[in-house]
Amino acid sequence: DAGITQSPRHKVTETGTPVTLRCHQTENHRYMYWYRQDPGHGLRLIHYSYGVKDTDKGEVSDGYSVSRSKTEDFLLTLESATSSQTSVYFCAIGAGQETQYFGPGTRLLVL
Amino acid sequence: GENVEQHPSTLSVQEGDSAVIKCTYSDSASNYFPWYKQELGKGPQLIIDIRSNVGEKKDQRIAVTLNKTAKHFSLHITETQPEDSAVYFCAASPSTNAGKSTFGDGTTLTVKP
């Protein structure tokens, strides 16, 4: 398995609170991605990074921000969580511009 | 933007039979087509991929075919085994734009022993 870890693996939070999810890789891959997975919607790209401090929006970026200060870490922040952000969040990495390896996921419940 | 449709949404086969999952895409700029397998409680795992300059690719019991003209690609699994039971996702993207990956909604494959 590719060296990708996500933390936390599960989180329950309340509406309006900030939440940060962390993705850590040991593969030294340039590209990192955040996806969300919801029933009936498959996987949708939130944000991605193509290098340290280089990020861009995906299909469903509203309400989310990201940061990448080191090659190995990619953070996803929900500034003020809403119930519509209840989902399973997956981090992924790729050596090139193609999503190759996914992390184990973080289950987030916003009450 | 890109639209990927995947069929069927559920597929049940007997062990040893073949399984075929089909996807169509809309954006002619897409040139990279991966397939992922997702087991319960885990992240998707890349099982095979194909690029637009190739019509077919095979890896043991798994094969993928691509018809660029018709904009569709398919996953073929032969001699299915119970451990092939999972959710399978197709995706389409332009290999020069990391932010444009679009996934199908998934196919739940059940292989009955």
Side-chain angles (χ1 to χ4, degrees):
Chain A
D1 289 344
I4 310 173
T5 56
Q6 293 184 230
S7 58
R9 295 293 314 281
H10 300 87
K11 186 168 182 66
V12 180
T13 190
E14 293 187 350
T15 299
T17 60
V19 176
T20 295
L21 309 182
R22 179 178 183 248
C23 177
H24 179 80
Q25 62 146 330
T26 57
E27 305 297 319
N28 201 36
H29 281 350
R30 179 181 173 190
Y31 287 84
M32 297 185 76
Y33 307 81
W34 277 108
Y35 289 87
R36 61 178 288 174
Q37 184 174 40
D38 305 290
H41 288 281
L43 287 147
R44 292 180 293 174
L45 183 65
I46 305 171
H47 281 280
Y48 68 100
S49 169
Y50 47 96
V52 173
K53 293 187 168 57
D54 292 324
T55 65
D56 205 349
K57 296 178 181 180
E59 177 189 356
V60 290
S61 59
D62 287 350
Y64 301 94
S65 62
V66 290
S67 65
R68 190 169 179 199
S69 59
K70 298 185 288 185
T71 297
E72 57 267 35
D73 291 326
F74 193 31
L75 303 181
L76 176 71
T77 298
L78 291 65
E79 301 290 347
S80 178
T82 67
S83 58
S84 64
Q85 293 175 313
T86 291
S87 187
V88 181
Y89 291 86
F90 287 101
C91 174
I93 63 175
Q97 297 197 56
E98 295 147 356
T99 302
Q100 292 182 295
Y101 306 107
F102 282 84
T106 294
R107 289 188 175 275
L108 176 66
L109 175 60
V110 183
L111 299 174
Chain B
E2 176 66 277
N3 181 46
V4 176
E5 294 190 358
Q6 183 172 345
H7 299 281
S9 57
T10 60
L11 179 60
S12 181
V13 300
Q14 285 295 135
E15 182 177 1
D17 288 349
S18 295
V20 180
I21 303 170
K22 299 181 179 182
C23 287
T24 61
Y25 64 100
S26 60
D27 190 349
S28 56
S30 291
N31 57 5
Y32 176 66
F33 308 93
W35 286 89
Y36 301 88
K37 175 184 180 182
Q38 186 175 26
E39 297 175 338
L40 197 61
K42 297 185 177 181
Q45 176 189 9
L46 178 67
I47 56 171
I48 196 167
D49 56 16
I50 193 168
R51 300 178 192 280
S52 59
N53 58 348
V54 176
E56 184 174 358
K57 184 176 179 180
K58 201 170 182 180
D59 183 2
Q60 299 182 333
R61 296 186 298 109
I62 293 173
V64 58
T65 59
L66 171 66
N67 184 327
K68 275 189 66 179
T69 303
K71 293 194 179 71
H72 66 70
F73 55 112
S74 301
L75 177 71
H76 304 253
I77 306 174
T78 59
E79 300 172 19
T80 54
Q81 302 166 2
E83 50 266 39
D84 293 329
S85 296
V87 180
Y88 291 82
F89 292 96
C90 64
S93 67
S95 60
T96 56
N97 191 332
K100 295 297 183 184
S101 293
T102 304
F103 284 72
D105 288 342
T107 296
T108 301
L109 174 65
T110 302
V111 180
K112 299 176 185 175

